[in-house]
Amino acid sequence: MKSIVYKTVLKFQYLLLLVTYYLIKPFVKKDNETWIVGVEEIATVLVNMANALPKSVSVNLYEHPFYNFKYNYALKNRSKFKLILFGPLLFAYLTAKYERFIYVGAKGFLLHLGDARELEFFFLNKKNKKLICYFTGSEIRSFMLLDEYGKRNDIDVITTYQRYVSPSLGTNASEKFRKNLATVAEKYALEIFNPPVEQMSYFKRATHPCLYFCPDSLFNKNNEKFLSMDIVKIVHASSSPIIKGTPLVRAAIKKLKMEGYKINYVELIGMSNDHVLEELKSAHIVLNAFYTYIPTIFGVEALAAHTALLTSADEYIEVSLDKGANSAWCVTPYWMVYDNLKELLDHPEKIKKQADRGFEWCKNNCSANVGGKKLLDILIRND
């Protein structure tokens, strides 16, 4: 029944798209140089990518409570009815005017659940538009493939616990959708961005690594905060406590406090991005995620804030990471949270040295200027 509803709505949207497109096309001035970046904000990727490109238009159809950014086009107050109508109308205008589209995540202007964006990408292809797909995590990550990887290596991975946090993601239907998402992207996209281990999926061709576009305003090298570390400030921020390893963090902090270490532990769950960034400014150590193989956006923000970062990201596992990544943070698999944190607390002089290395690596590899250049170099190949 649900499948029939999806297909019916999608057909209605496609008809609305076609009618609107051909009605307005003669009256719209063409722009062949600007990139459309949309359609869902995921961990600041959309807004920062758009800002890093010299010519872009940002579109966010899915409002997020953690972020308060300004976009060229945005749909406030999530409403399925609004989205059903507004999506194809805006898409008609943008395709009539622009030639280049970057899709962040799995969603589209049209209802994507019915066909994994096949109809939407077919339309772009027929109109000779340039299409790029940039995936960010759970929308494309195969539970089956990553579970197998974990079993082969006798370790827990993010999907080990994600199926309990979000049971729907672990179903056969969800796995089929992710496989279709990869197939459709591979069929129509000129380039695909997806880290091959962290977001293990069904792509048959090589994909580009995850890029970062950290704004200059977030780089804040603060040597003064390390002059007094009688009480060490440790920050842990989590959008999903179980899969980020929050229980492991709490256990390590509890044990260290019982052993007499003076710690100001700040845990941030469900907080706005602005609040998280403010806490990072005065942090000495940041505990990130411990079932991941990339630093994540929060990890990059922590490096830019001049903190010593502990995370399970590892350039020898996720080989798409920039060279020297493992020197930028303390590589910390989930079973080493207590040990690695204790090592820093026992040798406080190492905290600033680690923060210094991380700050420089981040500036050289993850700034908006660097990330924008990497992205443009790839996009230019298709001009």
Side-chain angles (χ1 to χ4, degrees):
M1 181 63 181
K2 191 178 288 187
S3 176
I4 295 173
V5 172
Y6 283 145
K7 289 179 180 178
T8 302
V9 173
L10 185 58
K11 285 179 181 178
F12 164 76
Q13 286 187 303
Y14 193 65
L15 180 61
L16 183 58
L17 165 65
L18 291 176
V19 171
T20 308
Y21 174 81
Y22 287 110
L23 279 176
I24 68 174
K25 185 184 177 186
F27 308 101
V28 176
K29 185 179 179 181
K30 300 285 286 184
D31 181 335
N32 297 325
E33 297 182 356
T34 300
W35 284 93
I36 303 298
V37 184
V39 297
E40 179 183 23
E41 184 60 84
I42 304 174
T44 76
V45 173
L46 193 161
V47 69
N48 287 339
M49 181 189 294
N51 290 338
L53 289 170
K55 292 184 178 181
S56 68
V57 169
S58 58
V59 180
N60 183 25
L61 300 184
Y62 300 86
E63 188 179 31
H64 196 293
F66 292 175
Y67 307 112
N68 188 33
F69 300 120
K70 291 184 178 179
Y71 304 90
N72 296 105
Y73 298 94
L75 192 59
K76 297 289 185 180
N77 303 319
R78 286 193 182 198
S79 163
K80 290 182 179 179
F81 181 72
K82 278 185 184 178
L83 191 59
I84 287 170
L85 292 177
F86 185 70
L89 292 175
L90 178 60
F91 190 43
Y93 168 73
L94 295 176
T95 49
K97 183 174 179 63
Y98 300 102
E99 298 294 314
R100 303 170 170 190
F101 291 77
I102 299 176
Y103 281 75
V104 176
K107 294 185 172 70
F109 292 90
L110 308 183
L111 190 66
H112 68 292
L113 293 173
D115 69 342
R117 301 187 295 200
E118 171 86 36
L119 195 57
E120 185 165 335
F121 286 2
F122 169 79
F123 177 81
L124 288 173
N125 182 258
K126 279 293 183 182
K127 304 307 174 189
N128 296 313
K129 307 297 181 180
K130 293 179 179 178
L131 169 63
I132 306 294
C133 285
Y134 189 105
F135 293 101
T136 62
S138 297
E139 81 277 15
I140 195 68
R141 183 186 297 114
S142 165
F143 272 50
M144 186 182 78
L145 296 179
L146 198 57
D147 280 350
E148 289 176 355
Y149 174 86
K151 289 175 183 176
R152 285 198 308 272
N153 292 279
D154 193 25
I155 55 171
D156 290 350
V157 290
I158 190 170
T159 52
T160 304
Y161 301 102
Q162 198 169 21
R163 61 176 24 86
Y164 301 112
V165 176
S166 303
S168 62
L169 291 178
T171 63
N172 290 334
S174 291
E175 187 73 3
K176 182 180 178 181
F177 175 76
R178 290 187 289 265
K179 190 170 186 178
N180 289 341
L181 197 64
T183 300
V184 170
E186 210 157 40
K187 182 177 178 181
Y188 293 104
L190 294 171
E191 306 287 353
I192 298 170
F193 290 80
N194 191 68
V197 178
E198 167 67 19
Q199 292 166 202
M200 203 171 288
S201 193
Y202 293 96
F203 297 110
K204 295 178 181 177
R205 75 188 204 215
T207 57
H208 297 287
C210 177
L211 300 179
Y212 297 95
F213 311 94
C214 191
D216 290 342
S217 60
L218 296 190
F219 284 92
N220 179 31
K221 192 167 188 178
N222 181 5
N223 292 316
E224 291 183 3
K225 68 181 177 182
F226 296 102
L227 296 178
S228 176
M229 287 193 292
D230 293 334
I231 298 178
V232 177
K233 181 176 178 180
I234 301 173
V235 171
H236 173 64
S238 175
S239 56
S240 184
I242 302 301
I243 64 174
K244 300 295 184 181
T246 301
L248 303 173
V249 169
R250 290 179 180 177
I253 293 293
K254 178 64 175 177
K255 187 174 182 180
L256 289 165
K257 283 184 174 181
M258 290 175 68
E259 291 173 349
Y261 291 90
K262 293 181 179 180
I263 295 168
N264 174 21
Y265 173 60
V266 179
E267 185 175 283
L268 304 169
I269 297 177
M271 299 292 182
S272 70
N273 185 242
D274 288 340
H275 183 82
V276 171
L277 293 175
E278 191 61 33
E279 290 288 355
L280 288 178
K281 290 178 182 178
S282 55
H284 300 111
I285 298 173
V286 169
L287 306 176
N288 190 17
F290 298 100
Y291 300 108
T292 184
Y293 300 121
I294 59 174
T296 76
I297 300 297
F298 173 62
V300 169
E301 291 171 343
L303 294 174
H306 197 204
T307 69
L309 177 66
L310 275 67
T311 185
S312 55
D314 190 334
E315 67 177 304
Y316 297 113
I317 296 176
E318 181 51 77
V319 294
S320 67
L321 286 172
D322 286 302
K323 187 177 179 181
N326 282 14
S327 67
W329 52 77
C330 299
V331 178
T332 306
Y334 63 87
W335 60 88
M336 290 293 293
V337 177
Y338 167 82
D339 299 88
N340 286 1
L341 183 53
K342 185 177 184 299
E343 174 68 17
L344 286 181
L345 295 175
D346 285 341
H347 303 89
E349 72 281 0
K350 291 184 178 181
I351 298 175
K352 183 178 182 300
K353 289 179 181 178
Q354 184 59 59
D356 288 343
R357 287 196 298 271
F359 183 88
E360 292 303 321
W361 182 89
C362 186
K363 200 156 192 176
N364 292 332
N365 295 281
C366 304
S367 69
N369 181 56
V370 173
K373 186 178 183 302
K374 289 178 183 178
L375 179 58
L376 275 176
D377 286 346
I378 293 169
L379 299 180
I380 287 170
R381 299 175 194 171
N382 297 289
D383 280 343

